[in-house]
Amino acid sequence: MDDRLRETLSAMMDDEADELSVRRLLSHDSQDEVRAQWQRWQDVRDLMHDGHSPVHGMDVSVAVRELLDGRGSATARPDPAVQDSKAGRWHWPAAAMVAMALLVGFGAGAGWDSSGAGPVQPVTAAAPETPVQDQPIREIALQGLDEEQWEYMSRYLLEHAQHNSVGAGRGAVGYARLVSANGVGY
Amino acid sequence: MPQAFIDILRCGALSLLVGLLLTLAGSLPAAADEDEASAWLERLGPALNMTSYRGVFVYARGESVHSMQIAHRYNDGVVEERLVLQDGGSGEIVRKGMNVVCVLPETGRVQLDQVIPSGPFAEAFTSQLMPVNRWYRAEMKGEDRVAGYDVVSLALSAKDPYRYSHRLWLEKSTGLLVKSHVRNAEGEVLEQFQFTSLHIGEDIPDSEFEIRTKGREISRTLDEPTPAASVVQRMNGWQLGWRPEGFMPAAAPRSGKGQAVAFSDGLAAFSVFVEPAGPVTMPTGASKIGATTVYMHQVKEGGNAFLVTVVGELPPQTARQVAESVRIEDSLALGAGES
């Protein structure tokens, strides 16, 4: 791991890392190394602050998925792992939380595959009259996609937005979707 | 007690009763309310094209917020429009009638030619009025002020769980859409659009419609509107087993080698793409960007894999249901096996 990455990691500890460097860090080849370093620093910090390391035994992937989806804690589910430990009361800055979970929680590769592993509350849960599939929908966080996958998906987004801008008669809204699709998430 | 006073009391009680009855009666005819909302909706489409205006609006969905400057003029039956991005990379879209020129930032990961609208523009579409009232409950929500203009607000609440609800704010004298919200069943705002500054009027100089950004330009002449009948052609090789009631085939985007069909219920729209699975492995599941859901899944047919993608302003459950209803009937027609 070069100094720049280490610097980013350090900035992340203080929640001062910018998005670009975090992304660079996340796309770093040896994620194990990054993860190990992060965990070491966390442990050190926790020792210094006499706290409990949330890294151990805390499943943050659900919360992170929700963060990534911008749903906040609206669909917070009881998670025994979180409730049992003091870690549940930790208020982490969103950016650090996301970054940490990507590093620690999602496992090697940080790909979409493991990010969508857990059940996510069905969105239509509030509409019990829904006669259809009650099984949870697997959610894919855009941030979990690799570059090729993102490009693939954004092509569809754009084509749909194009149609929207021209077809649905919403004028500026359609255009806005189009432009937004061009830059979404990045 | 003097009789006169009792009379006054009785009179007061009576008028109170009458007043109460009137109030009740006023709240009863929701139908009249719906009629008013419908009348406003009918103005929406034409107003978008035939009003001349300029201003700045913000558009937010998910975590992204964009600000754009727009000038729109309706001149001798020709729509002229110029949109300039106000944040991020510089870029603009200029349209005159059916000619569109895009200058977009090079920083985007997406190739520029994918950004150009390639389908027919709105006029043809908006003229065919959708019976929005069948799928949404229209309701007047009172008056307000947006970007300095008096507006009326109307709520369009989805009558079934298959679509999102909308809230529209229309300028009073022209019917121009100046603000909108897309909300889910919980009332959470997923996507919003709003003018922050606005000037409505014919006096927009020609210079407002000239390209000023330097960069790679891409221009294209839009095709004539595609008749809905050709949907059959575009669905060559596959069938959609289910779609929410009210979504009709609409002007469609042109997909590369695959097949794309778009549907709209007048407010929301979704597109279905069916393509032979490419070299990129895509995950199965739903991604959400504000009100837009992308649902992808793979279908195997005759030894070939196909990627079905549904993109639209739909709840994830609906998108999945649509995607999973796609049946491949003729893999050859879809170009399976070609690289």
Side-chain angles (χ1 to χ4, degrees):
Chain A
M1 191 176 1
D2 64 34
D3 284 347
R4 206 169 50 163
L5 287 178
R6 199 167 282 129
E7 223 167 79
T8 305
L9 206 51
S10 165
M12 265 167 62
M13 295 273 297
D14 303 327
D15 193 31
E16 281 171 0
D18 63 279
E19 193 183 337
L20 194 69
S21 1
V22 172
R23 281 184 191 286
R24 200 183 297 123
L25 184 80
L26 290 176
S27 58
H28 188 60
D29 288 335
S30 47
Q31 288 290 306
D32 285 344
E33 202 187 329
V34 174
R35 229 184 338 267
Q37 180 71 64
W38 170 265
Q39 193 152 338
R40 269 198 303 280
W41 284 354
Q42 280 295 338
D43 288 348
V44 169
R45 181 166 86 171
D46 290 334
L47 274 177
M48 284 167 68
H49 294 281
D50 197 23
H52 298 261
S53 171
V55 175
H56 304 299
M58 176 182 171
D59 180 18
V60 288
S61 58
V62 172
V64 166
R65 266 202 306 284
E66 287 171 357
L67 269 174
L68 291 177
D69 292 339
R71 284 184 294 141
S73 57
T75 53
R77 301 178 314 140
D79 187 333
V82 174
Q83 283 179 337
D84 288 348
S85 71
K86 287 187 177 173
R89 290 204 299 273
W90 275 61
H91 292 291
W92 278 49
M97 181 103 155
V98 170
M100 191 202 75
L102 285 175
L103 289 166
V104 181
F106 290 176
W112 50 267
D113 204 359
S114 44
S115 77
V120 172
Q121 218 164 353
V123 173
T124 48
E129 69 272 21
T130 316
V132 289
Q133 299 130 310
D134 289 330
Q135 63 269 52
I137 284 192
R138 187 187 167 97
E139 296 212 12
I140 304 160
L142 291 176
Q143 283 85 343
L145 297 174
D146 66 29
E147 191 149 337
E148 271 188 320
Q149 291 172 330
W150 163 249
E151 209 151 302
Y152 216 81
M153 188 184 275
S154 60
R155 185 167 61 83
Y156 290 125
L157 268 173
L158 274 169
E159 285 197 30
H160 170 70
Q162 283 170 19
H163 154 248
N164 233 338
S165 67
V166 298
R170 298 291 290 277
V173 187
Y175 277 124
R177 283 205 184 106
L178 185 70
V179 174
S180 174
N182 191 38
V184 69
Y186 287 89
Chain B
M1 204 180 284
Q3 184 62 39
F5 186 64
I6 291 170
D7 279 349
I8 287 171
L9 265 185
R10 198 177 285 146
C11 185
L14 196 71
S15 59
L16 200 73
L17 194 71
V18 168
L20 201 71
L21 279 175
L22 279 177
T23 318
L24 273 176
S27 66
L28 276 177
D33 198 42
E34 268 210 45
D35 286 349
E36 193 188 349
S38 304
W40 279 107
L41 277 177
E42 276 172 37
R43 294 178 65 179
L44 172 65
L48 276 172
N49 276 320
M50 288 153 77
T51 311
S52 293
Y53 58 90
R54 64 178 161 181
V56 175
F57 65 85
V58 289
Y59 171 78
R61 69 167 169 188
E63 285 174 0
S64 72
V65 181
H66 291 272
S67 166
M68 269 167 258
Q69 184 192 320
I70 188 172
H72 181 107
R73 185 166 70 172
Y74 189 71
N75 208 357
D76 296 334
V78 177
V79 171
E80 289 174 87
E81 214 163 38
R82 177 164 171 267
L83 263 114
V84 187
L85 312 193
Q86 298 295 292
D87 39 34
S90 57
E92 56 184 281
I93 300 173
V94 173
R95 169 189 169 206
K96 185 166 187 178
M98 297 302 258
N99 288 305
V100 178
V101 178
C102 288
V103 188
L104 280 153
E106 298 276 358
T107 50
R109 288 173 171 224
V110 177
Q111 287 183 2
L112 292 180
D113 51 358
Q114 294 174 343
V115 176
I116 294 209
S118 57
F121 258 111
E123 293 93 326
F125 193 81
T126 47
S127 61
Q128 97 187 49
L129 195 73
M130 293 279 191
V132 164
N133 282 354
R134 282 179 67 184
W135 327 112
Y136 299 91
R137 197 179 61 250
E139 200 185 340
M140 297 304 295
K141 282 286 182 184
E143 301 183 359
D144 202 350
R145 227 165 73 93
V146 173
Y149 282 87
D150 289 332
V151 298
V152 292
S153 163
L154 45 134
L156 294 154
S157 315
K159 287 181 177 174
D160 58 40
Y162 302 122
R163 56 204 101 213
Y164 287 133
S165 296
H166 300 252
R167 185 89 179 260
L168 307 175
W169 284 259
L170 308 179
E171 198 274 321
K172 265 181 154 177
S173 60
T174 57
L176 183 69
L177 180 72
V178 291
K179 180 176 171 180
S180 74
H181 280 176
V182 181
R183 301 177 193 212
N184 63 14
E186 288 79 39
E188 197 185 339
V189 177
L190 304 174
E191 180 192 285
Q192 47 185 320
F193 156 86
Q194 178 173 357
F195 272 103
T196 51
S197 84
L198 179 65
H199 168 83
I200 299 176
E202 305 289 324
D203 53 334
I204 306 173
D206 289 350
S207 59
E208 291 272 350
F209 298 95
E210 284 162 14
I211 301 159
R212 280 179 232 158
T213 312
K214 288 231 182 328
R216 213 175 119 207
E217 281 181 22
I218 290 187
S219 65
R220 190 176 290 178
T221 305
L222 298 166
D223 302 332
E224 286 303 311
T226 329
S230 68
V231 162
V232 179
Q233 211 177 339
R234 273 179 281 130
M235 276 171 83
N236 196 9
W238 60 278
Q239 282 294 328
L240 197 60
W242 179 86
R243 62 178 191 250
E245 242 189 316
F247 278 90
M248 305 302 284
R254 309 281 154 76
S255 183
K257 57 180 171 179
Q259 316 255 338
V261 180
F263 298 89
S264 173
D265 68 351
L267 274 180
F270 68 87
S271 308
V272 184
F273 303 86
V274 182
E275 289 186 354
V280 186
T281 316
M282 296 304 287
T284 293
S287 290
K288 288 186 291 172
I289 308 121
T292 307
T293 298
V294 183
Y295 190 91
M296 294 190 285
H297 89 135
Q298 286 215 0
V299 184
K300 286 232 159 55
E301 179 63 42
N304 295 305
F306 297 90
L307 182 66
V308 175
T309 310
V310 173
V311 188
E313 284 62 59
L314 294 175
Q317 291 279 9
T318 310
R320 173 168 80 174
Q321 221 174 322
V322 171
E324 287 180 349
S325 79
V326 169
R327 286 189 309 275
I328 310 290
E329 290 180 334
D330 180 1
S331 44
L332 286 178
L334 278 161
E338 294 168 21
S339 57

